[in-house]
Amino acid sequence: MQTQPAGTFPVAETMACLPGRMLLDTTDRDEVTAVIGELLCEHQLLVEGPAAQFHAQVRGCAVGDLTLAHFKYGTAFTVKSQPLGRYVVNFTINGLSRVRHGRASAVAGPGQATVFSPRAETELTWTPETDVLSLVVPKSALEEHFRRLSGIGSGEIIFEPQIGADTAHLLRSLIGAALRVSGGGLFDMPEAVSWQMRDAILTAILLELRHDHWELLTSLRRSEAKLLCDAATSVMRRQLASPASIPRIAAELGVSERSLQVTFRHELHTT
């Protein structure tokens, strides 16, 4: 397992500095629970390695209303949390992170990442050497950005939890650029620049990370959406005697159930 240099985030075979503004530097577990509870959500912290090695260090950097936070705890631990109420992308820099998110699970080594959607309960376990760069995204920010890009109100977006080390290059590059421009958050970017970078990061999340609206956003132009509706209507007409379910229609047309539902709602103003 390759170890990355301390204090850097690997981006396209280069290294960007990590967030440098200290948010937390303590061995007090109660303080960790309180501070991270405000940043992410209420959670239960279970230290599994030597207690004497527990030393939580969290550094942060703001990009518009997004937060980049670097976590390192110094020992093995497990966190159990209620639904986050926001979107989070965790990039593993060193060590190993095991994740259970709702019914899904994932394992992320160096260079890999995991994605958390707002409503599922989460359990994650880190090895002692693990450090992670988290991108924390307000729920309303991502969903409103999707609406602006697609013209469709999405509601909650459900992401596939695993991100490979050789994917999401644009997102990684934008995060690296934001860290470099701000000196890891040690000085503020001009507000207009910060919000432009924020919008670019949200666009990269929606285009590069697989989710239940991904096909609609990346593949279905308006004319294609109409063709999909026509095809689905044709399937239903052929099977009037025994009405087809949404899963059955989606499977026959080769699209996800969610994409079919959203496209129908947008094109025909109906469910």
Side-chain angles (χ1 to χ4, degrees), residues 152-166:
I152 301 170
S154 67
E156 184 175 341
I157 301 167
I158 307 300
F159 286 88
E160 295 181 6
Q162 186 83 51
I163 303 175
D166 58 348

Side-chain angles (χ1 to χ4, degrees), residues 64-82:
D65 57 354
L66 314 183
T67 300
L68 290 166
H70 177 238
F71 294 86
K72 187 172 179 61
Y73 283 8
T75 192
F77 69 91
T78 293
V79 163
K80 298 180 180 181
S81 77
Q82 296 300 310

Side-chain angles (χ1 to χ4, degrees), residues 29-98:
R29 300 182 204 177
D30 291 337
E31 183 180 0
V32 173
T33 301
V35 172
I36 304 307
E38 292 183 6
L39 177 63
L40 294 171
C41 71
E42 294 185 4
H43 64 282
Q44 181 183 12
L45 173 64
L46 306 172
V47 175
E48 298 170 339
Q53 295 178 10
F54 178 76
H55 184 182
Q57 293 182 311
V58 182
R59 294 176 169 85
C61 172
V63 185
D65 57 354
L66 314 183
T67 300
L68 290 166
H70 177 238
F71 294 86
K72 187 172 179 61
Y73 283 8
T75 192
F77 69 91
T78 293
V79 163
K80 298 180 180 181
S81 77
Q82 296 300 310
L84 298 172
R86 65 205 74 201
Y87 299 92
V88 179
V89 185
N90 275 359
F91 295 92
T92 303
I93 298 173
N94 292 301
L96 196 68
S97 175
R98 301 181 187 277

Side-chain angles (χ1 to χ4, degrees), residues 11 23 33 37 74 78 80 85 105 135 162 180 232 236 240 258:
V11 181
L23 303 179
T33 301
T78 293
K80 298 180 180 181
S105 61
L135 171 61
Q162 186 83 51
R180 282 191 289 267
M236 290 186 286
L240 287 176
R258 184 64 175 169

Side-chain angles (χ1 to χ4, degrees), residues 204-222:
I205 290 172
L206 292 170
L207 291 179
E208 290 195 307
L209 308 187
R210 292 302 296 257
H211 52 81
D212 58 348
H213 292 51
W214 188 84
E215 292 174 355
L216 186 64
L217 188 62
T218 60
S219 301
L220 292 177
R221 297 185 294 275
R222 182 155 182 90

